[in-house]
Amino acid sequence: MTSVGGTEMVDWKLAVATATRLVRPGPEVSREEARAVVAELRRHARSSEEHVRAFTRMAPPALSGGDTPVLVVDRAGWVKANVAGFRALLGPLLEKMQDRRGNAPGGAVLGTVGGKVTGVELGMLLSFLASRVLGQYETFAPAAHDLPGSANGGGRLLLVAPNIVHVERELEVAPHDFRLWVCLHEETHRTQFTGVPWLRDHIEGEIQTFLGETEVDPATLLERIREAAQSLAGGKPPEGESRSIVDLVQTPAQREILARLTAVMSLLEGHADYVMDGVGPQVVPSVAEIREKFQKRRASGAGRLDAALRKLLGLDAKLRQYRDGERFVRAVVDEVGMEGFNRVWTSPNTLPTKSEIAKPADWVARVHGKTEG
């Protein structure tokens, strides 16, 4: 993929090998226990589908690809699936960079070592994330022999078994309840994408536009990487505050696109949290205890190094998305009911803006013509 003379912009195999080598081992379980965990997660995924669709009043249209498979994976399997997703999503950008690399300042250096270096860096990032992700609806990756997708290429649901077991033990909660609780969240994401046929293409279009605005001049890219390195070394970042790597590589046009993407992701994550809590009391007896303990864990992180990495990578923004998005969904449902909230899925024009996520009444006024008072 995107190579000239055998030199790739990203060495994808090296990314997988690096992440697999560096990722921490999962919790100790016997072979029998591992099989039981996998079987239970699959059962919960199936039962969650009915619960989520009944609560949200969303269901995939006929022949829409609602047959997305559920894959219970280990940490290495999650890495492999996500590298496939990155490769598919970043293809157009890498081709653009490949075309301009040869004649650009610094292009020879990037051509010699860039693919290996980027592969190692991507592998290091994935090794950090692979021990933290409980589940993921993978939207964009193509189907493969060992990683099947839906019939129309719509995605697959991943449940990372060792991470789920690790967290349930760490929180000291009922395993059966916690596993079902996690499945309810991830099933909501699957319902969002299978029940709203235009959503996948809309988000992919926004991402490709974002990537298309990337400054692909290698000298500029090297300067941005240098800025990121300086921030890691303790140098004072622009505007006197800590900025993530994502912030450091944005152009003004990308910031506008990112604001729209942030609003959409806040909606999706907040909706999943709202549904998880809404369905939970009916089917998860210890949901209140799980929610309280999980929120404390989510807010505190796993230590100072973990907190620093989260800040650098922009993962702290994802925590705000859960919180702000859930408040938006709850406020809208309280005001106009579930059917009224579901108008958010009508078209890209009815998605909330970033400012509307913070002020749900503005979205209600725009979409429903209702004002406060």
Side-chain angles (χ1 to χ4, degrees):
M1 174 182 174
T2 57
S3 62
V4 174
T7 302
E8 289 187 307
M9 293 293 293
V10 178
D11 189 328
W12 301 105
K13 290 184 179 179
L14 183 58
V16 172
T18 300
T20 302
R21 184 175 67 253
L22 295 178
V23 71
R24 292 181 296 180
E28 292 186 8
V29 295
S30 67
R31 181 169 298 183
E32 292 73 18
E33 184 179 3
R35 288 173 178 167
V37 170
V38 170
E40 184 173 21
L41 287 173
R42 287 175 175 159
R43 289 196 304 272
H44 286 331
R46 287 193 296 270
S47 65
S48 294
E49 183 176 348
E50 180 180 349
H51 295 312
V52 169
R53 291 183 183 182
F55 184 81
T56 63
R57 303 173 198 173
M58 298 173 65
L63 305 178
S64 69
D67 59 336
T68 50
V70 176
L71 306 181
V72 181
V73 297
D74 59 11
R75 291 170 177 175
W78 181 88
V79 167
K80 186 174 182 180
N82 275 265
V83 166
F86 279 127
R87 189 169 185 171
L89 200 58
L90 295 177
L93 172 63
L94 296 181
E95 290 174 2
K96 186 177 179 181
M97 294 185 71
Q98 186 75 46
D99 289 341
R100 295 186 57 177
R101 184 175 66 179
N103 298 324
V109 174
L110 289 177
T112 303
V113 300
K116 298 292 184 184
V117 171
T118 307
V120 169
E121 290 174 342
L122 178 58
M124 292 173 65
L125 170 62
L126 290 172
S127 72
F128 170 74
L129 296 174
S131 61
R132 288 158 174 78
V133 176
L134 300 182
Q136 172 187 353
Y137 184 77
E138 194 180 33
T139 315
F140 304 112
H145 174 69
D146 54 344
L147 291 169
S150 69
N152 70 345
R156 51 182 167 247
L157 181 63
L158 305 177
L159 296 170
V160 190
N163 296 349
I164 293 172
V165 172
H166 171 78
V167 174
E168 71 190 25
R169 290 179 178 179
E170 179 183 297
L171 298 182
E172 297 182 336
V173 293
H176 172 86
D177 288 4
F178 184 74
R179 294 167 193 175
L180 177 55
W181 189 71
V182 170
C183 287
L184 289 170
H185 182 101
E186 302 308 331
E187 177 57 40
T188 302
H189 287 316
R190 181 163 67 158
T191 298
Q192 290 163 348
F193 282 95
T194 58
V196 185
W198 54 264
L199 184 59
R200 177 185 182 274
D201 289 342
H202 171 71
I203 293 177
E204 184 174 18
E206 291 278 62
I207 292 173
Q208 292 301 337
T209 303
F210 180 91
L211 296 176
E213 292 288 336
T214 299
E215 295 174 349
V216 295
D217 175 69
T220 302
L221 181 60
L222 289 172
E223 178 60 29
R224 295 301 178 96
I225 293 173
R226 192 173 300 116
E227 289 182 33
Q230 289 172 353
S231 72
L232 274 171
K236 185 178 180 180
E239 302 175 3
E241 61 182 23
S242 177
R243 303 174 73 197
S244 70
I245 286 177
V246 174
D247 294 323
L248 292 170
V249 298
Q250 286 176 32
T251 66
Q254 284 177 311
R255 290 190 180 95
E256 294 181 8
I257 300 167
L258 190 64
R260 297 195 297 268
L261 282 170
T262 297
V264 174
M265 298 312 296
S266 296
L267 170 69
L268 298 180
E269 296 294 356
H271 184 233
D273 266 14
Y274 178 81
V275 172
M276 182 168 58
D277 287 347
V279 175
Q282 306 170 35
V283 296
V284 182
S286 60
V287 64
E289 177 191 2
I290 291 173
R291 184 59 152 161
E292 180 182 3
K293 290 183 175 181
F294 191 78
Q295 286 288 65
K296 288 181 179 178
R297 180 184 187 275
R298 182 188 273 177
S300 64
R304 295 177 64 182
L305 176 60
D306 184 78
L309 286 169
R310 295 174 76 91
K311 184 69 176 178
L312 180 65
L313 298 172
L315 299 180
D316 56 327
K318 186 174 178 65
L319 300 184
R320 291 195 297 272
Q321 289 174 6
Y322 285 102
R323 184 175 60 249
D324 297 345
E326 196 274 340
R327 280 200 294 255
F328 170 84
V329 175
R330 185 173 301 279
V332 171
V333 173
D334 287 347
E335 178 68 20
V336 296
M338 185 63 74
E339 294 293 345
F341 166 79
N342 280 342
R343 288 182 62 177
V344 77
W345 312 117
T346 303
S347 75
N349 293 330
T350 56
L351 291 172
T353 64
K354 190 175 180 180
S355 64
E356 287 172 341
I357 288 288
K359 295 182 178 180
D362 290 352
W363 181 87
V364 173
R366 178 171 66 87
V367 175
H368 288 271
K370 295 181 64 174
T371 57
E372 290 183 310

